[in-house]
Amino acid sequence: LNPWDVMLCVSGTAIACENALVVAIICYSPALRTPMFVLVGSLATADLLAGLGLILNFVFQYVIRSETVSLLTVGFLVASFAASVSSLLAITVDRYLSLYNALTYYSERTVLCIHTMLAGAWGVSLCLGLLPVLGWNCLHDRATCSVVRPLTKSNVTLLSASFFLIFLIMLHLYIEICKIVCRHAHQIALQQHFLTASHYVTTKKGVSTLAIILGTFGASWLPFAIYCVVGNPDYPSVYTYATLLPATYNSMINPIIYAYRNQEIQRSMWVLFCGCFQAKVSFRSRSPSDV
């Protein structure tokens, strides 16, 4: 019994439990139907599936040894994690649009844009997950295997390149968001003829939160993405496990960053478990620009 596989299974269990709660809360609360919570629900669903995939991968690896099952579980994991990363990009785009087009953000056009982004993200993720099942694998040619068997080197290179592109887009958008936040703070200061301490603290807090979000995402996925490109299948498997395990932590941290810190989610959680508030409690839906 490989201890690394056990840790991945434990990580998958924690991920599934955390995100299942978020999905249940969003589905339970009719008030959580704004574009922001639709995106958070998409992220939680993707992470929930990723957690279940890690559990199934462990079970099938030690209970049912089959090449077909291996391809299915790996494809399921690829699709789930790809949907998670794509949902993070969609949340970043939504936050940027909520600041850049603040006056027209709450409109039917925004809802259509959100649904279109999610449909595209899940569609691309599903296609990436189907590639190993449809034949892009190294089961019949071991020389083409990557550090993540049974994926080929060209397959993981494509996945890594996609991640790097998404990371760069998110980095650019978060830099633009920081510029908008600082510009808004400066405009408020000019209107009031001075920059108050509260404005400075709020701006600093907002920029710091964005840095934490992007830093957590990069620290979780970059080592694994880089190793997939430069790694060799002949290297000890411990290197793959050591970079893959931190990548799964991103799905464990996502509910904390994007869901549990939100006041509406917290109130709905109390309604769901404790009944401390009435079911028809009034909610004030925030925009995704609240960081």
Side-chain angles (χ1 to χ4, degrees):
L1 192 64
N2 191 330
W4 287 100
D5 289 328
V6 174
M7 286 189 287
L8 284 174
C9 183
V10 171
S11 177
T13 304
I15 291 169
C17 292
E18 279 185 294
N19 288 280
L21 179 58
V22 176
V23 173
I25 291 172
I26 293 177
C27 292
Y28 172 81
S29 305
L32 305 181
R33 295 293 184 269
T34 61
M36 177 184 69
F37 290 113
V38 171
L39 292 170
V40 172
S42 172
L43 175 62
T45 301
D47 287 333
L48 169 61
L49 294 177
L52 294 176
L54 290 172
I55 298 172
L56 291 176
N57 183 64
F58 176 83
V59 172
F60 291 143
Q61 187 172 354
Y62 289 95
V63 178
I64 305 176
R65 294 181 176 274
S66 168
E67 290 184 349
T68 302
V69 173
S70 175
L71 283 176
L72 290 175
T73 54
V74 169
F76 186 79
L77 283 171
V78 170
S80 301
F81 281 118
S84 176
V85 173
S86 300
S87 296
L88 287 174
L89 175 61
I91 290 175
T92 305
V93 172
D94 183 60
R95 283 183 165 175
Y96 173 75
L97 292 178
S98 69
L99 289 171
Y100 186 76
N101 297 319
L103 297 178
T104 60
Y105 176 76
Y106 293 100
S107 64
E108 293 183 0
R109 183 178 180 181
T110 300
V111 176
L112 178 62
C113 178
I114 296 299
H115 290 165
T116 302
M117 280 197 300
L118 289 181
W122 281 91
V124 172
S125 300
L126 181 61
C127 291
L128 290 175
L130 286 175
L131 289 177
V133 181
L134 296 178
W136 203 2
N137 59 70
C138 64
L139 293 180
H140 304 294
D141 187 4
R142 299 292 179 179
T144 62
C145 280
S146 67
V147 295
V148 183
R149 296 182 179 87
L151 300 182
T152 64
K153 295 178 182 177
S154 55
N155 194 340
V156 297
T157 300
L158 172 64
L159 294 174
S160 297
S162 301
F163 167 79
F164 292 137
L165 177 61
I166 290 176
F167 182 76
L168 290 176
I169 294 174
M170 290 178 62
L171 177 61
H172 172 72
L173 289 176
Y174 274 128
I175 290 175
E176 293 300 317
I177 290 173
C178 289
K179 290 180 180 178
I180 294 174
V181 170
C182 293
R183 185 164 60 247
H184 286 177
H186 181 67
Q187 290 173 349
I188 293 173
L190 291 178
Q191 291 175 359
Q192 298 183 355
H193 304 292
F194 62 92
L195 181 63
T196 63
S198 61
H199 292 152
Y200 174 77
V201 172
T202 301
T203 303
K204 183 179 179 181
K205 181 181 178 181
V207 174
S208 299
T209 302
L210 294 176
I212 291 173
I213 292 173
L214 190 62
T216 302
F217 175 65
S220 299
W221 278 105
L222 277 175
F224 180 67
I226 294 173
Y227 182 68
C228 284
V229 176
V230 302
N232 190 293
D234 296 329
Y235 292 169
S237 60
V238 65
Y239 296 155
T240 302
Y241 283 114
T243 53
L244 176 60
L245 187 61
T248 65
Y249 292 160
N250 187 65
S251 295
M252 197 182 302
I253 297 172
N254 283 338
I256 300 174
I257 295 177
Y258 295 98
Y260 294 135
R261 293 174 63 248
N262 186 279
Q263 291 183 1
E264 284 79 2
I265 293 288
Q266 294 171 4
R267 292 176 186 175
S268 297
M269 193 181 304
W270 283 110
V271 172
L272 184 62
F273 289 104
C274 303
C276 296
F277 294 87
Q278 296 181 356
K280 294 183 180 180
V281 66
S282 175
F283 292 91
R284 181 185 68 84
S285 297
R286 296 181 176 182
S287 73
S289 59
D290 294 338
V291 293

